[in-house]
Amino acid sequence: MTPVLKTRGLDLSRINLCDALDLAVLVEEEARDRYAEFADQLTLHHTPEAAGFFRWMSGIEERHRLELSERRRERFGTSPARVHLGMIFDVEAPEYDQARAFMSVREALHVALRSEQSAQAFFAAAKEAVTDPETRALFAELEAEEVLHQRLVRQQIEAAPPDPPGDPDDYSDPPVEQ
Amino acid sequence: MATTTTIMPGGRPALTPKDFNSGLKPIWCPGCGDFGVLQGLYRALTAIGREPHEIAFISGIGCSSRIPGYTTVYGFNSVHGRALPIAQGVKLANPDLLVIVAGGDGDGFSIGGGHVAHAVRRNADITYIVMDNQVYGLTKGQLSPTSPKGLRTITSPLGSLEDPVNPLLYVLAYGAGFVAQSTPADMPGMTSILEEAIRYPGFAFVNIQSPCVTFGQEDQQLRAHKTRMKTLASLGHDPSSMSQALERARDYGTELYTGVFYRNPEPPLSHDRLIRLRQEELAKQARPRSQILDAYLQRGGAQ
C-alpha cells in the first residue's frame, strides 16, 4: 500500500507557514517538471496528442507555482527555504509508470485526475499533521483547490473523444522462435 | 521570478536534484522503472552533498546502462559486462572519487557475472546498482539470467527450463558488506537505500526491481510491486545478521522484500584504503635518495 505522505526527512509537525508555502511551490515544481518529462517521452514515442496534453498541464502547474511563489515572496521575502525537492515524492506529479506509449488523451486526462487526487490526499494529511492554525488553513485551502482541479479535469474527460478501438499492447509482437 | 534556495550551514547554496540532471532526455520507454531509479539517484546524490565533479558513474551496456549520460557527474557508458573492472580502475586511479556503477541483470550476472565475485572479495569502495528487470529489454525481450523459470520469451518460446540467478545470494555468498533491494514503487525508501549504499565504506550492492514495461511480465510492473512489496523492517529483520540475510535472500523471485538485507556492522577497510596504508608503510621504509646508490652497490648491483 502506497502511503499518502511520500516524504523523506520532512517532519510536517514542525513546519511553519513559510515552510508550507515553500512546500506548495515545490509540489507544483515537481508536477511541472514531471508533465514536461511525460510530454518529451511521448513525443519521442509517437504519441503526440497525449504529449500535447501533458505539455499543457506542465504550463498549468507552472502558473500555479508562480502564483504560490509570489505569495511566499510577498509574505516572507526571499528568506532561505528550509524545505527542498528531495523531501517530497510524486505529490502532484504523476508517478513514472503512469505514462504509456500510444496512450490516448482520455487516458492522459485520467493520469492528471489521479495526480490531482494524490495532491488532495497529501494536503489533507498534511493539514492534520501540522499544529500551527495558519499553516493548517493554507493546507485546507490547497486541498480545496485540488478538489476544484479534479472537477475541471472530469469536465474535460466528459468532453474528450472516445478512445480508439484496440489495446496499445496488441501492437507488440507475441513471442516467436528466432 | 521568486525562487527557493536551500542554504547549507556553511552558507554555500545546497545542491539540488537538478544539479545532477544533465538535461539529456532519456529515451527509455514511457513507464520504464529506470525513470524512477534516475530520480531517486538525483535525490540520493543531493543528500550525499558531493559535487558532480567528485563523482564518477560507470555503466555497461543495456537500457539501464544509459543512466550516466543523464547525470552531470563523470560518466562512462562502457563495455557490456565490464563496468565493474572499469569502475575499480577508476577508483584505483583516483581514490577520492565517489564511484557508482549501474547496469542491468544481464550485464551484471550473465555477461559480467565473473567480475562481480572479484569486485566483492576485493571490497572495492564502490556502489553497484543493478536495475533488475528479468529480461533483455534493449534487444527486444530475450531470456536474461534473472528471468523466472518457465518464462516465455523470443529465445524461450516454450518457456525457460532454467532457474534464475539469485543476485542477492550471489553477492552475499562472496561476502559483500552491504546488500539491499528496492523498487521505484517505493520512491522514498529506494532513495534512502541508495543514499545508505553510497555512504557505505566498501562494496555496496543494491538490486532494484525496475520493471520493463515493454517486455516485462504483468506481475513485475510497479503497480504489482505496490501490493507485493514488504519492507524488511516490518518483518523485524536484523540487517547485521548474515544468517537472517541469507535466509530472506533465498526468497528472491517469490517475495519482494525491500530494505537492507545485510550491512556489515564492522566494515573492514576497503581496497583503496588498504592500498593507501601499504603505500604509506612502503614510504616509511624507503631510503633517502642520497643512499640509493649505496644500497644498490651493497646488493651487488655493479657486478
Side-chain angles (χ1 to χ4, degrees):
Chain A
M1 187 69 183
T2 310
V4 171
L5 288 172
K6 290 196 289 181
T7 59
R8 183 168 176 264
L10 178 66
D11 183 354
L12 283 167
S13 68
R14 297 177 64 183
I15 67 170
N16 57 32
L17 182 63
C18 183
D19 298 327
L21 275 166
D22 284 331
L23 202 58
V25 169
L26 291 169
V27 165
E28 301 295 344
E29 185 178 323
E30 190 193 29
R32 175 200 68 188
D33 292 349
R34 187 67 48 80
Y35 280 124
E37 275 188 77
F38 277 18
D40 289 339
Q41 290 175 25
L42 295 182
T43 300
L44 188 67
H45 290 271
H46 317 292
T47 314
E49 293 86 3
F53 170 72
F54 286 134
R55 188 80 65 201
W56 179 78
M57 280 301 295
S58 180
I60 298 282
E61 303 300 353
E62 171 62 359
R63 203 182 72 205
H64 294 161
R65 189 191 72 81
L66 287 171
E67 286 166 6
L68 286 161
S69 296
E70 187 56 27
R71 223 168 126 180
R72 194 273 193 202
R73 195 191 58 77
E74 279 174 6
R75 181 79 190 262
F76 298 102
T78 54
S79 61
R82 298 195 304 167
V83 294
H84 58 82
L85 202 53
M87 291 176 163
I88 56 164
F89 295 86
D90 309 334
V91 175
E92 194 164 6
E95 294 179 345
Y96 278 109
D97 67 337
Q98 299 286 302
R100 279 288 183 282
F102 310 120
M103 71 195 304
S104 66
V105 172
R106 180 176 284 274
E107 287 170 318
L109 278 159
H110 277 286
V111 169
L113 180 62
R114 284 192 291 273
S115 301
E116 300 295 340
Q117 289 167 336
S118 160
Q120 183 205 341
F122 177 89
F123 290 126
K127 181 182 71 181
E128 298 305 318
V130 297
T131 48
D132 171 48
E134 223 180 347
T135 308
R136 181 172 291 183
L138 173 71
F139 282 139
E141 178 196 326
L142 293 169
E143 181 193 357
E145 272 189 29
E146 299 305 340
V147 174
L148 175 67
H149 296 163
Q150 288 168 40
R151 199 176 307 146
L152 295 172
V153 176
R154 281 201 179 91
Q155 285 170 4
Q156 287 189 304
I157 290 172
E158 282 171 21
D163 281 348
D167 183 344
D169 288 342
D170 293 342
Y171 304 151
S172 59
D173 297 327
V176 290
E177 200 165 3
Q178 287 189 322
Chain B
M1 184 186 297
T3 56
T4 53
T5 306
T6 309
I7 304 296
M8 290 179 80
R12 185 166 59 94
L15 293 166
T16 75
K18 286 182 181 168
D19 290 315
F20 295 98
N21 185 339
S22 69
L24 191 64
K25 298 182 195 315
I27 60 165
W28 295 316
C29 303
C32 177
D34 294 350
F35 283 105
V37 179
L38 179 61
Q39 194 59 239
L41 266 167
Y42 289 151
R43 292 170 188 227
L45 290 173
T46 303
I48 297 281
R50 297 276 296 267
E51 296 280 352
H53 72 269
E54 298 174 319
I55 303 167
F57 205 165
I58 318 297
S59 68
I61 294 293
C63 292
S64 52
S65 289
R66 302 185 66 86
I67 205 163
Y70 305 134
T71 73
T72 52
V73 309
Y74 289 121
F76 189 176
N77 186 176
S78 71
V79 189
H80 209 353
R82 314 297 172 224
L84 280 172
I86 291 166
Q88 288 170 81
V90 169
K91 188 71 183 175
L92 279 173
N94 186 350
D96 293 331
L97 278 176
L98 193 158
V99 179
I100 303 169
V101 185
D105 48 282
D107 192 70
F109 291 99
S110 187
I111 295 105
H115 296 301
V116 178
H118 303 289
V120 173
R121 72 184 179 88
R122 198 167 284 133
N123 192 30
D125 185 11
I126 57 182
T127 304
Y128 184 29
I129 301 161
V130 167
M131 281 164 264
D132 179 4
N133 61 5
Q134 294 104 35
V135 77
Y136 281 103
L138 188 66
T139 47
K140 296 188 183 294
Q142 293 86 358
L143 206 65
S144 86
T146 56
S147 295
K149 193 173 187 174
L151 183 70
R152 286 163 56 91
T153 69
I154 55 173
T155 49
S156 58
L158 302 178
S160 165
L161 296 171
E162 301 153 9
D163 284 317
V165 167
N166 183 327
L168 302 166
L169 277 181
Y170 196 110
V171 296
L172 280 168
Y174 283 110
F178 184 99
V179 179
Q181 181 167 256
S182 195
T183 158
D186 172 20
M187 287 296 294
M190 184 187 73
T191 304
S192 295
I193 286 170
L194 286 171
E195 183 187 343
E196 195 177 342
I198 294 168
R199 289 189 189 280
Y200 180 77
F203 186 87
F205 174 79
V206 184
N207 195 63
I208 298 184
Q209 300 271 341
S210 180
C212 175
V213 288
T214 306
F215 299 104
Q217 302 303 295
E218 199 59 32
D219 63 351
Q220 292 163 349
Q221 302 304 312
L222 292 184
R223 57 183 167 271
H225 285 185
K226 284 173 190 165
T227 57
R228 282 179 55 214
M229 64 185 182
K230 291 177 195 157
T231 64
L232 287 166
S234 71
L235 302 173
H237 180 76
D238 175 8
S240 68
S241 163
M242 175 59 89
S243 60
Q244 283 191 28
L246 288 166
E247 190 60 38
R248 291 213 159 91
R250 285 164 61 98
D251 292 338
Y252 172 85
T254 54
E255 296 282 357
L256 178 53
Y257 295 138
T258 62
V260 180
F261 283 80
Y262 182 66
R263 189 188 200 289
N264 190 334
E266 293 175 4
L269 290 178
S270 62
H271 189 240
D272 61 289
R273 290 292 307 147
L274 290 171
I275 287 175
R276 281 192 198 199
L277 287 175
R278 180 170 289 179
Q279 284 172 337
E280 285 165 16
E281 205 55 44
L282 288 172
K284 282 183 207 159
Q285 293 170 18
R287 292 166 192 258
R289 185 169 288 193
S290 59
Q291 293 176 15
I292 287 177
L293 182 58
D294 292 341
Y296 177 67
L297 292 173
Q298 279 169 16
R299 285 165 55 187
Q303 288 173 0

